[in-house]
Amino acid sequence: MDKLKQIEAFTSVATRGSLSAAARAEGVTPAMIGRRLDALESRLGVKLLLRTTRKLTITFEGQAFLEDCQRLLNDLANAEAAVSLGGLQANGYLRVSAPAGFGRRHVAPLVGEFMQANPEVTVNLGLSDRLVDLINENIDCAIRIGELTDSSMVSVRLGEMRRMVVASPAYLVAHGVPREPADLVGHNCLSLGQQRGWVFKDPQSGEVQNWKVGGSFECNDGAVLHEWALAGRGLAWRSLWEVGQDLKEGRLASVLDAWQAPPMGIYAVFPQRRHLPLRVRFFIDLLKDNYSRASYWELR
């Protein structure tokens, strides 16, 4: 039995939640999907899915294998598209979702560049800080920052972004400069809603630590925290893409630089498909080309 068919069957069942749904998508019978799964598990010598008449559960080993399979199928689709569609223009309707603040600064400007290179594509860019449902809301591609939780989606790492603690020079003159995370207890920390804490990396041990912070200002909008920091209301833990220009021009200063947390990944996330539309692949390639270059962030 074709190994690729087995992998496609497993990925389809794992992401769609049932043999019958996978069978409809693949255009075969549920029995055929079941045989392909059995052959794959027998060949690997490990149980990937626990199946009953009412429920299907992916095992720990199956979860790890699923992520590798999704990357493999995506790479294969891209390779085929590069050969067979290399001379064609992208076209159609592209729906993209991105976090509001990041999207305004670092997705919307690149949409214009994308449209110049692909005039036959119509782009709908939705900016929202909520976690959109790509399948039910018919989204082709979502930009997400930080840890990914939805394993049913395929992800491509586009670049990375640092976060740092910043404050206005006036605030630091009035309240002092914290030298280590423990010093934050004596400062007014601007919190993003019910934020669990700020993340730091011990410069000696390399241990990543989460420090609970507190203060008299909270807001669920990062742009408001940015404005409060500029106004001298307290310390804020913000992304470099947001405060970089303020740091460069002296409106804000960074503290605890030696304790900066590891960079966060910037990802493009999209539903599993047999063939990724050319318009989606070209858009992801454009973002990756820009975000992966240090010079991009320096210029912005």
Side-chain angles (χ1 to χ4, degrees):
M1 186 181 293
D2 189 338
K3 293 181 180 180
L4 182 59
K5 289 292 186 183
Q6 297 172 8
I7 290 174
E8 288 177 333
F10 164 66
T11 304
S12 185
V13 171
T15 54
R16 290 181 168 85
S18 71
L19 271 69
S20 57
R24 286 193 297 271
E26 298 294 320
V28 298
T29 65
M32 175 60 74
I33 293 292
R35 285 196 293 272
R36 290 174 181 175
L37 287 177
D38 291 339
L40 177 62
E41 291 177 333
S42 176
R43 180 164 59 84
L44 297 177
V46 66
K47 200 70 176 173
L48 301 174
L49 296 166
L50 300 178
R51 289 173 275 164
T52 67
T53 54
R54 293 189 175 185
K55 187 177 180 181
L56 184 147
T57 305
I58 188 167
T59 66
F60 177 80
E61 293 80 6
Q63 184 64 60
F65 188 57
L66 174 62
E67 295 174 5
D68 290 335
C69 289
Q70 288 175 323
R71 284 192 293 269
L72 183 151
L73 293 174
N74 180 55
D75 289 344
L76 178 59
N78 286 343
E80 290 178 341
V83 172
S84 62
L85 302 176
L88 299 182
Q89 283 285 318
N91 57 65
Y93 196 75
L94 175 64
R95 291 176 58 88
V96 180
S97 173
F102 184 85
R104 281 191 292 269
R105 296 194 186 197
H106 297 291
V107 179
L110 294 176
V111 168
E113 183 178 336
F114 175 79
M115 293 295 293
Q116 282 186 327
N118 302 276
E120 298 301 316
V121 177
T122 299
V123 178
N124 179 306
L125 175 62
L127 302 180
S128 174
D129 289 325
R130 68 181 179 85
L131 196 64
V132 299
D133 185 328
L134 274 67
I135 294 177
N136 290 330
E137 297 180 46
N138 198 28
I139 303 296
D140 294 298
C141 173
I143 310 306
R144 292 181 179 165
I145 302 175
E147 183 179 355
L148 300 178
T149 57
D150 190 347
S151 63
S152 67
M153 298 291 116
V154 180
S155 63
V156 175
R157 189 179 180 95
L158 305 175
E160 58 184 31
M161 178 50 57
R162 290 184 291 132
R163 302 194 80 175
M164 55 188 60
V165 180
V166 299
S168 70
Y171 175 88
L172 296 175
V173 168
H175 301 279
V177 178
R179 304 298 178 185
E180 56 184 41
D183 297 338
L184 295 175
V185 174
H187 284 270
N188 196 34
C189 296
L190 309 174
S191 298
L192 183 65
Q194 299 299 315
Q195 198 171 49
R196 292 177 296 175
W198 294 357
V199 179
F200 298 97
K201 183 177 180 180
D202 190 305
Q204 301 299 323
S205 67
E207 179 186 1
V208 177
Q209 307 168 350
N210 189 295
W211 287 79
K212 184 67 176 177
V213 298
S216 54
F217 291 88
E218 287 186 5
C219 185
N220 64 351
D221 189 323
V224 172
L225 297 184
H226 184 192
E227 292 299 323
W228 283 346
L230 288 169
R233 303 295 185 187
L235 296 166
W237 189 49
R238 309 306 304 152
S239 296
L240 180 59
W241 64 259
E242 182 181 14
V243 300
Q245 193 65 25
D246 297 308
L247 292 170
K248 184 177 180 179
E249 298 179 5
R251 291 185 292 270
L252 292 174
S254 62
V255 299
L256 300 174
D257 289 348
W259 293 76
Q260 279 184 20
M264 298 180 297
I266 305 171
Y267 299 90
V269 179
F270 50 92
Q272 175 67 46
R273 290 173 177 164
R274 182 181 294 275
H275 298 294
L276 189 67
L278 205 59
R279 59 186 177 273
V280 179
R281 185 167 68 87
F282 282 1
F283 186 70
I284 292 173
D285 288 345
L286 175 67
L287 297 184
K288 187 174 182 178
D289 179 61
N290 281 273
Y291 296 166
S292 62
R293 291 184 285 111
S295 59
Y296 169 85
W297 303 106
E298 292 168 2
L299 290 171
R300 304 293 165 143

